[in-house]
Amino acid sequence: KRTMQAQSQGQLLPWLPILRGVILGGVMALAAYMMINYRAAIFTSGSVWPGIVLGAVLWGTVGSATDGLRELHTRVARQELDLNRLVWYLVHPVIGAAIGGILVFVINAGLLALTGENLAQGTDSSSTYNPALVYALAALAGFGQRQMIQYLREILANMLHIKKEDPEEAG
């Protein structure tokens, strides 16, 4: 099977993996550019939350683009590159960005327990908020999207008291 896949890859355009890598690298570069140039403008606007949400979205994008590059390397090394996964490489950073943004709200709602010393000091959390932990979690959530989505599903199921279906009862 792998021999057939390798032969079919030889018939594909040889620059396809390079193009995918350039796209993911471009996504990472765009996120880095936005982190550098737009962070100061948002934090000087008076409210710290738009900057934290934007930072989490960008770090989620970086984490998922890194995961996409890792996946691309693995597929090329194993000679299992699949043309049908092209959409995955394009959508993966978008999902990571969304998960990064959602993570801020999950933390703010108290659904992900973090110690108060890591996040804020004093009574006004918006003035002394330390977003570094949130950014790190957003990058990790972007990198491990499958696990983060499963965590969010479990939170939703617990909040709405949704019971998991027992396969024996459904049959």
Side-chain angles (χ1 to χ4, degrees), residues 95-168:
I95 296 170
I99 289 175
I102 291 169
L103 185 66
V104 172
F105 298 109
V106 168
I107 291 171
N108 194 32
L111 298 173
L112 180 61
L114 301 173
T115 61
E117 297 88 31
N118 292 333
L119 294 178
Q121 299 166 348
T123 57
D124 184 14
S125 64
S126 64
S127 62
T128 60
Y129 192 81
N130 181 6
L133 182 60
V134 176
Y135 295 164
L137 288 174
L140 291 172
F143 191 80
Q145 287 181 10
R146 198 172 293 149
Q147 293 83 1
M148 187 61 187
I149 290 171
Q150 181 62 34
Y151 175 75
L152 293 173
R153 284 184 177 159
E154 288 173 8
I155 287 175
L156 184 64
N158 288 335
M159 286 175 52
L160 300 177
H161 304 290
I162 299 172
K163 295 180 181 178
K164 292 183 179 178
E165 271 191 38
D166 188 11
E168 293 176 9

Side-chain angles (χ1 to χ4, degrees), residues 11 54 61 64-65 69-70 76 78 82 85 87-88 94-95 106 115 123 125 127 148 151-152 169:
Q11 295 170 357
L54 176 65
T61 303
S64 61
L69 288 171
R70 180 203 55 81
V76 170
R78 292 181 182 171
D82 187 6
R85 290 185 60 85
V87 173
W88 181 88
V94 174
I95 296 170
V106 168
T115 61
T123 57
S125 64
S127 62
M148 187 61 187
Y151 175 75
L152 293 173
E169 291 179 11

Side-chain angles (χ1 to χ4, degrees), residues 67-79 81 89:
D67 184 46
L69 288 171
R70 180 203 55 81
E71 180 72 16
L72 179 64
H73 172 266
T74 302
R75 296 288 177 177
V76 170
R78 292 181 182 171
Q79 297 183 347
L81 191 63
Y89 291 104

